[in-house]
Each structure stands twice: as structure tokens, then as C-alpha cells.
Amino acid sequence: APSPSEEELAGLLQQLSNIPVRLRERGEIQRSLASKRWLLSRRPALLSALEAARPSLEEVSGLCDEAAGLGLGQLPEVLQAAERAAAAERWDERAERALARREGMDALRQLLAEARGLRVAPSRSGALQQRVDDAASWWARAADAVSGVTSVEELDTLLRQAEETSVPPADRAPLLDKAALCRWWRERAAAAFVKEGCRLSLGESLAGDGHYELTTPDGGWGAHFACSFCTGESRYETAQFMIGCDACDRWYHGPCVGVDKKAADQMTEYVCLFCCRKSGTPYKYGPPEPVPKM
């Protein structure tokens, strides 16, 4: 008699659920029908995978697990597929260890060469190849960064990627030296152009008009902060009282803008030197006029 088709087996399994058969017999019939169904539909898929150039580990392992669950694990094709899948799994374990240990590029390339010789494609070969490709790209960008103009942020990105891709410390040294030099210069420039207490970055300070919002983190005034008319180097200057301009809302040390404490307590309005210049009116608290030290 001809073998039943997959559709016929599926119909028998459906009918079985409505027939009052003892549990032991029901289970035996279900397993028998499921095995026949696997042999009809899944076995050809397994044979096709074995003949393919490099089937995926997930596909081969899934078919082998199905066969083993149905008691078909001793079929020659299943044994052959399981052996190939086991080799790919062992490779995956080695690749995972290599990635976790951040082994060098030579070791990773050797692993990739071994993977190409396997009959089943391992799951981690893509991640390993990506690590090698990233490293190759890193070398080119690192060479440009060392020889050309770059930013501290780009140097930091390259150094972080060097750590992730296991670049030897000696090869990172030029980047570390250049990043350290950039930070050293930036700190010196900030000390020269950004007054103590100013929350602006060096770039913002250079692009601004020289006026700074000098406040402590809690919103108060710091006794050591500089204003637009002092350098912040004299504790005597920075410890003085502050006076705010009613036109622009900027604040200055009273003595720095020619206003003593008694005059400040008596005045109802104060307009700073900058606002007076903008409006073309003389500054009231001189001569001499205060000299900005921006």
C-alpha cells in the first residue's frame, strides 16, 4: 500500500483527539504518526541541508532535535547531521571565549579560517567576522587621527573601540599621547579664557561676548568667582559685594565697577558700563571708567 501523505497523517492526528482510546495507546499512535510525518516532510529537509554548502547550525540542530525526540536519532543521516552540528557548536564555544577574552586579530582570523572548513555554519561566525572587520576599519581611522587633525572626542572613541577589539597597548600609545596633549592644551586654554565659576565650556566662552553667569551649583554667588572686570586672581576683589545691572541683569563686584557699598545701598537703579555704551549715555560711576578684563 502507498505511504500516506502528510495531509492524511495530519488528518489522522486530528481525528485521534476525538476518539476515546486509552492513554497509553493514544500516545503510541501519536508518536507513530508523528514519526511518519517527520520522515515524510522533515527528513527530506535534513537531507537537503546535508547536501547544501553550509547550512546554519540552527537549522541542522533543530532537525536533529526533532528526530531525537521522535526516537529517530539513530538514522544515518541524523547521526551525520548531529556530528556536523556538534563540531559547529564546539567552534562557537571557542569563538565565544575568544571574544570574551578579547584575543588578538591573529587568533580571531585563525578561528574564522577554521569555521570556513566546517560543513555547518556556526552561530558566532558573524560576530567574529564583525570584530575583525571593525578592527580593520579602526586601523585606518587611527592612522588618520594620529597623522591629521582630529578631536578629543574622536580620539576617545577610537581608544574605546581599541579596547573592545583587543588592539595591543603599544598600538594605542600614539592615540593616548595625542589625547593627553589635547587635554593638556584644553585645560591651559580654559584656565586662560574661562573665569573661575563660569559654567560655559571653552568653546562657548570663546564664542560669547565675555559676560559670564557666575553662580554656585545651588544658585548662589561664590565668594571666589570673577566678574567681567576682574581676573578672579585677587581674593580681595572676588570677596566683595555684587551689584546687578537693571538693564541687562548681569552682576559685577561693586568695587570692580566703581561703586562702593554705601552708594550701592542708596541707589534705586544701576546701569552697567556695557549698557551705557550701547545707549550712548555716560557711565555715572567714574572717572576713571572700569576696564573690562574678559
Side-chain angles (χ1 to χ4, degrees):
S3 298
S5 66
E6 183 179 353
E7 290 75 14
E8 290 173 328
L9 288 176
L12 288 172
L13 286 172
Q14 179 62 36
Q15 293 170 6
L16 180 61
S17 63
N18 300 320
I19 298 175
V21 181
R22 290 195 304 273
L23 182 60
R24 182 179 63 82
E25 294 175 349
R26 180 192 297 270
E28 291 176 356
I29 294 173
Q30 285 178 324
R31 280 192 295 274
S32 177
L33 291 175
S35 296
K36 290 183 180 295
R37 187 178 185 184
W38 189 91
L39 290 170
L40 280 173
S41 61
R42 304 295 280 167
R43 184 183 188 185
L46 179 61
L47 292 172
S48 176
L50 290 173
E51 294 173 358
R54 277 168 60 81
S56 69
L57 176 58
E58 290 78 7
E59 178 187 4
V60 175
S61 295
L63 290 168
C64 290
D65 290 343
E66 291 176 7
L70 296 171
L72 302 174
Q74 296 305 311
L75 290 174
E77 58 269 32
V78 176
L79 290 173
Q80 184 182 33
E83 182 180 353
R84 295 180 184 180
E89 288 172 351
R90 289 192 296 271
W91 186 93
D92 272 342
E93 292 174 358
R94 294 173 58 203
E96 193 65 42
R97 288 194 297 270
L99 290 170
R101 294 171 183 172
R102 296 178 180 175
E103 294 185 3
M105 289 301 104
D106 290 341
L108 299 186
R109 290 191 182 96
Q110 178 61 34
L111 274 172
L112 286 172
E114 294 176 17
R116 287 190 287 271
L118 296 173
R119 299 296 298 275
V120 171
S123 301
R124 299 294 291 164
S125 58
L128 204 64
Q129 184 65 59
Q130 186 63 52
R131 175 71 64 85
V132 171
D133 292 344
D134 288 345
S137 170
W138 183 90
W139 288 105
R141 290 187 293 118
D144 290 341
V146 170
S147 62
V149 178
T150 188
S151 65
V152 175
E153 291 73 22
E154 174 63 14
L155 291 171
D156 288 340
T157 298
L158 285 168
L159 288 169
R160 184 179 65 255
Q161 292 172 344
E163 183 70 21
E164 295 171 352
T165 54
S166 309
V167 175
D171 294 322
R172 307 177 204 173
L175 291 174
L176 288 168
D177 291 343
K178 191 164 187 176
L181 179 63
C182 290
R183 288 193 173 86
W184 171 80
W185 182 89
R186 180 179 283 180
E187 289 173 0
R188 292 195 63 193
F193 289 99
V194 183
K195 294 187 178 183
E196 187 177 6
C198 179
R199 295 182 180 180
L200 300 178
S201 66
L202 174 61
E204 292 170 334
S205 298
L206 294 174
D209 60 3
H211 296 286
Y212 305 94
E213 292 296 334
L214 305 174
T215 60
T216 57
D218 61 3
W221 293 105
H224 60 290
F225 290 168
C227 69
S228 297
F229 293 91
C230 64
T231 63
E233 297 174 357
S234 169
R235 292 290 178 178
Y236 172 77
E237 291 176 340
T238 57
Q240 299 298 321
F241 71 94
M242 306 291 289
I243 184 170
C245 174
D246 291 295
C248 66
D249 289 330
R250 296 190 180 105
W251 288 77
Y252 312 94
H253 297 114
C256 289
V257 292
V259 179
D260 59 29
K261 187 69 169 64
K262 182 178 180 181
D265 290 339
Q266 294 176 350
M267 69 176 59
T268 58
E269 182 184 56
Y270 169 72
V271 179
C272 71
L273 174 66
F274 301 108
C275 291
C276 287
R277 289 178 176 175
K278 287 181 180 179
S279 63
T281 57
Y283 183 65
K284 295 181 180 180
Y285 306 96
E289 286 189 348
V291 179
K293 294 182 177 63
M294 298 182 182

